[in-house]
Amino acid sequence: MPTAGADDAPPGDTALAIALRELEELIVGQAEAGDQLPAEAALAESIGVSRLTIREALKVLAGQGLIELSRGRRPTVRQPDSTVMSRFLSVAIRRDSRSVLELLSIRRSLEVLSASEAAKHAGRAALAAMDAALDQMQRAADALDGTDESVARYNTADVAFHEALAMASGNRMLSLLLESLASSLHHSFTQSFAGFMAAGGDIDDAVREHRRIFELVAKGDALGAERAMKRHLERTARDLQSHLSRTAPPA
């Protein structure tokens, strides 16, 4: 339960700001997904604000996706998801295609860490999920016929592998961050794939590149997995640059 009240708040804080801060602490710091919060009256008394203020704060938090409100039930803590961030990144990339290079810089940090941590922590279920994604990639690669649909299937499997790798890391925050990038990653992979194929790349080499990362993770070789991911992302950067150079409008 929240413990600080309005009397403990910094000068100038509104009642709504106090309620939001205390409820966020309760939701993120103490509650689990699926838990029900106390009734409005109990929250108001604990925090030292009115029930009306609590009601407004709960609406704000519901809008942020932290809780779910339904008539006749107490507020329920939602499972964290990445929908809002995912939408923002997708819009940003659609507005400026070169944003994929900025996204790649983020990926370098997140995915190298993901590979290293997965090698240290991945269990059998996590490895099975990665292996299944690789099988899906291979099937999609074998069925590539140049159509947008076949390319989309391959890139969907590629994203699934990277998501499974993040899950294998055992780091929930890292997994959420990669999940928030899923839609943007698919767009990025489509562009890097176009650059890869235009340069005469062999799709089976690309699958083997991912398989190598998996093998190193399965062996528990954190440094090797880290290096393999860096090489993969270096190749991806070259493919992206190639595609963007070819498709850039004339100056």
Side-chain angles (χ1 to χ4, degrees):
M1 286 291 294
T3 55
D7 292 339
D8 304 308
D13 262 11
T14 65
L16 180 59
I18 295 165
L20 284 170
R21 183 171 59 248
E22 295 300 322
L23 288 172
E24 285 169 352
E25 171 59 28
L26 171 61
I27 292 164
V28 177
Q30 301 176 41
E32 300 287 341
D35 287 351
Q36 287 190 328
L37 298 184
E40 287 180 3
L43 289 171
E45 181 179 357
S46 173
I47 296 173
V49 296
S50 70
R51 288 184 63 176
L52 180 60
T53 298
I54 290 294
R55 197 167 300 142
E56 288 304 308
L58 292 172
K59 288 178 182 177
V60 171
L61 296 172
Q64 294 173 349
L66 291 177
I67 59 173
E68 184 176 335
L69 298 178
S70 56
R71 187 178 296 277
R73 293 186 61 196
R74 288 185 291 165
T76 303
V77 178
R78 288 187 56 183
Q79 180 71 34
D81 67 49
S82 49
T83 305
V84 175
M85 179 63 77
S86 180
R87 283 201 299 265
F88 173 83
L89 291 169
S90 295
V91 170
I93 285 177
R94 284 200 304 270
R95 291 184 63 192
D96 179 6
S97 62
R98 298 193 69 84
S99 294
V100 293
L101 295 175
E102 296 176 342
L103 176 61
L104 184 60
S105 295
I106 296 171
R107 285 183 62 198
R108 282 194 179 100
S109 297
L110 294 180
E111 298 217 58
V112 169
L113 174 63
S114 187
S116 175
E117 290 299 296
K120 298 172 186 174
H121 302 294
R124 282 185 294 181
L127 292 172
M130 291 175 64
D131 197 26
L134 281 168
D135 288 345
Q136 186 183 353
M137 281 184 74
Q138 187 63 66
R139 289 194 299 271
D142 293 341
L144 274 173
D145 57 11
T147 62
D148 290 345
E149 184 179 353
S150 68
V151 172
R153 278 197 300 269
Y154 177 82
N155 286 326
T156 296
D158 196 349
V159 171
F161 172 80
H162 289 268
E163 289 182 334
L165 179 65
M167 288 290 291
S169 74
N171 186 319
R172 189 172 65 96
M173 296 305 294
L174 181 59
S175 181
L176 278 171
L177 285 169
L178 265 297
E179 181 187 336
S180 74
L181 297 176
S183 176
S184 301
L185 284 178
H186 196 288
H187 183 85
S188 170
F189 287 8
T190 300
Q191 295 195 9
S192 61
F193 181 84
F196 176 75
M197 298 305 287
D202 183 339
I203 191 62
D204 287 327
D205 283 345
V207 177
R208 280 192 289 270
E209 203 171 81
H210 289 78
R211 176 69 66 179
R212 180 59 178 158
I213 294 169
F214 167 73
E215 290 170 349
L216 291 163
V217 167
K219 285 170 57 179
D221 185 350
L223 184 58
E226 195 175 302
R227 288 171 174 166
M229 179 59 78
K230 285 179 179 177
R231 286 193 295 271
H232 169 58
L233 293 176
E234 285 166 3
R235 194 264 301 160
T236 299
R238 291 193 298 270
D239 294 338
L240 270 175
Q241 289 280 14
S242 172
H243 175 72
L244 292 173
S245 297
R246 288 187 304 104
T247 58

